[in-house]
Amino acid sequence: MTRILPFGGVQMRARTLSRSLRAGLMASALTALGPVLTQAGEIDYPSYHWNEATYGGFLKELTAAYTAEHPDVTVKSTFMPFASYNDQMYIDITSGMPPDVLTALDPEFRRYVDADLLEPLDDYLAAAGISVDDFIAPEQLAMKDGHVYGIVFVANPRALFINKKMLDDAGLPLPTDLESFDKVVTSLRDPATQTFGLALTATSGAPSQQFLEYAPVFAAFGAKFFTEGKPTADTPEMIKALSWYKNLVDQGLVPKGSSFDVYRPMFVNGKVAMYAAGPFMGGVTAAGNEETYKNLVTMPLPLSDAGKPITVTNYLSIPKGAKNKDEAAALLMEMLKPQWQHRMVEIIKAIPGIKGMVPEDFAKQNPWFGTFADVASTAVSYAPEGAEQYGSEIINVIGPHMEAMLFGNVSPEETAKAMQEDLTALMAEKCPLPH
């Protein structure tokens, strides 16, 4: 029988044992629930995950098993690129053509919650014997006025992946601070072989996509675009992070002009030594290159003592007006069964939505995962602190300023000042002071 450990991989204590007993009861409740919720219909489930080896591999296995058990239900698995997905979903949902299942990251998800565009899941969860306390901490973002409007699919706290062999071959130790980190970045840059010490986004367009990539680095410097709902884009920490980022791009030390769909494969294939990402990247590497995978080492980004790790959470929800909400809810409840939570860890290699679902043998066989398990308890959402519901608009304000700095000869100091002014103006528009 597989024993389950909490995030940190430590031996179970009494409270963890009671959690696993609850998991058994949960499994029984969910098994009994299936035939009650399931009705004939096609679940419209568009996502940017379907074509991925990790997320897509899990979803295909889950839906194949589920539809085999419930042959009167089908799943329409439409792939959409991440760069266009969020805007398209918002248009579809607000124009009365919603899908049955919506995938959303922290800021986009909160926008849907606050706009009252999602179905409450309270009754489905209650029937399945699941409470909010059974979920990991990011589930709190799904709560409003005592109701639950989504479930955590997976959480991806950010940390640094390192191909240790590349450092060993160059005689470089693992970085422990900014100075030693920068040494790896500069030492492993080889234009002749197009090899890089670090991958970091250095392209234009798709602001939300770019923000996901540089946000972990800025957080590691202690730079925050918002603090307690107020813009803080012009702090010394922010200017330091901006200066460091601009220098990397100016010096050609990261793959300039490339987005993550280019440099992630470069990391997998031994052309990049370091990359800050979520634990899903372990799954991507395992699927793509066994040699790189066996040389993986992970650590928190060692850029400053003021830094704090961030996490990116995938939420699943059912939009209001969904044609097949009961069928969609039944599929989501199936996903929360312990066996599928375990498979999620094994295939995607990320933190699942239900607490205590990381198999002990997985943690032992994949020691790199321990960093993510450790930081998961302290990592904060990458969404703007205290202004999560405006996250998409805030990121759209930040994006052009980043581009102007990286490619338009605008200084870090000017960039910080301009961002602060524009973000302050945005918040004045969103939250005007009473007269």
Side-chain angles (χ1 to χ4, degrees):
M1 179 178 180
T2 302
R3 291 192 300 131
I4 307 301
L5 296 179
F7 285 167
V10 296
Q11 293 295 325
M12 287 191 294
R13 298 187 177 125
R15 59 187 174 87
T16 310
L17 179 59
S18 65
R19 180 184 298 158
S20 64
L21 288 174
R22 288 203 311 274
L25 295 172
M26 185 189 305
S28 299
L30 284 162
T31 300
L33 180 67
V36 176
L37 286 181
T38 303
Q39 300 173 14
E42 180 182 66
I43 301 171
D44 183 12
Y45 188 167
S47 177
Y48 45 86
H49 286 147
W50 287 110
N51 284 8
E52 298 175 358
T54 51
Y55 288 90
F58 168 78
L59 289 173
K60 289 171 185 175
E61 184 175 314
L62 167 72
T63 54
Y66 186 75
T67 54
E69 185 177 350
H70 304 284
D72 55 343
V73 176
T74 58
V75 177
K76 183 181 179 182
S77 53
T78 305
F79 170 75
M80 294 184 66
F82 178 81
S84 59
Y85 179 85
N86 292 320
D87 288 341
Q88 187 61 55
M89 286 300 97
Y90 192 76
I91 291 170
D92 288 351
I93 291 170
T94 55
S95 62
M97 297 184 294
D100 295 315
V101 177
L102 171 71
T103 303
L105 302 181
D106 312 43
E108 290 82 13
F109 175 68
R110 192 63 203 187
R111 176 172 64 160
Y112 286 109
V113 173
D114 286 345
D116 195 29
L117 293 172
L118 303 177
E119 289 281 351
L121 302 181
D122 307 58
D123 291 344
Y124 299 111
L125 290 167
I130 303 173
S131 76
V132 173
D133 292 338
D134 292 316
F135 287 92
I136 59 176
E139 182 67 15
Q140 293 301 316
L141 199 67
M143 300 289 297
K144 184 181 179 182
D145 299 330
H147 296 288
V148 183
Y149 290 95
I151 63 168
V152 172
F153 179 12
V154 291
N156 272 292
R158 270 21 185 185
L160 183 66
F161 279 95
I162 301 174
N163 183 338
K164 190 172 183 296
K165 185 177 186 301
M166 292 183 69
L167 274 66
D168 289 344
D169 289 349
L172 295 167
L174 293 174
T176 57
D177 54 23
L178 181 58
E179 182 180 358
S180 55
F181 186 92
D182 284 344
K183 185 174 182 180
V184 173
V185 174
T186 55
S187 298
L188 292 182
R189 176 67 177 113
D190 185 353
T193 60
Q194 280 301 292
T195 302
F196 294 85
L198 177 70
L200 184 60
T201 187
T203 188
S204 58
S208 61
Q209 184 173 299
Q210 309 308 329
F211 189 84
L212 274 171
E213 294 294 294
Y214 59 71
V217 171
F218 279 68
F221 275 103
K224 299 169 68 175
F225 293 94
F226 271 73
T227 303
E228 298 180 353
K230 296 180 180 180
T232 50
D234 58 353
T235 63
E237 293 84 2
M238 181 64 71
I239 293 172
K240 182 176 182 180
L242 290 168
S243 300
W244 182 82
Y245 187 17
K246 179 173 171 57
N247 181 65
L248 285 180
V249 177
D250 287 350
Q251 298 300 316
L253 294 172
V254 292
K256 192 171 182 178
S258 299
S259 58
F260 67 71
D261 55 351
V262 173
Y263 54 71
R264 283 179 185 172
M266 291 176 67
F267 177 85
V268 169
N269 292 311
K271 288 293 186 178
V272 169
M274 301 189 297
Y275 174 45
F280 71 88
M281 193 61 199
V284 172
T285 306
N289 192 315
E290 184 179 346
E291 180 68 18
T292 301
Y293 186 73
K294 74 179 184 182
N295 286 291
L296 282 187
V297 174
T298 58
M299 63 173 63
L301 276 159
L303 303 183
S304 80
D305 294 333
K308 191 169 186 178
I310 62 167
T311 189
V312 178
T313 303
N314 281 265
Y315 294 89
L316 298 176
S317 57
I318 301 173
K320 281 190 172 178
K323 294 180 180 178
N324 300 290
K325 67 178 183 179
D326 287 345
E327 293 89 334
L331 179 64
L332 297 188
M333 296 306 107
E334 178 76 11
M335 186 185 295
L336 297 177
K337 289 182 178 180
Q339 66 265 35
W340 289 112
Q341 294 287 290
H342 300 168
R343 286 298 286 154
M344 198 178 292
V345 178
E346 294 162 353
I347 297 174
I348 301 176
K349 296 178 173 56
I351 305 294
I354 300 294
K355 294 175 184 175
M357 290 290 168
V358 178
E360 180 185 15
D361 54 356
F362 177 85
K364 286 182 177 179
Q365 294 165 11
N366 300 275
W368 62 266
F369 193 80
T371 297
F372 297 97
D374 290 341
V375 303
S377 60
T378 58
V380 298
S381 172
Y382 85 103
E385 180 188 302
E388 293 86 356
Q389 67 270 42
Y390 307 120
S392 296
E393 293 164 277
I394 289 168
I395 290 168
N396 284 335
V397 168
I398 294 169
H401 289 297
M402 288 291 183
E403 286 188 28
M405 181 187 75
L406 296 178
F407 311 118
N409 204 32
V410 178
S411 73
E413 292 78 10
E414 291 172 316
T415 300
K417 182 176 183 291
M419 284 196 301
Q420 182 69 12
E421 290 174 351
D422 286 354
L423 292 173
T424 299
L426 175 66
M427 295 311 293
E429 175 188 331
K430 297 296 180 182
C431 308
L433 294 173
H435 296 291

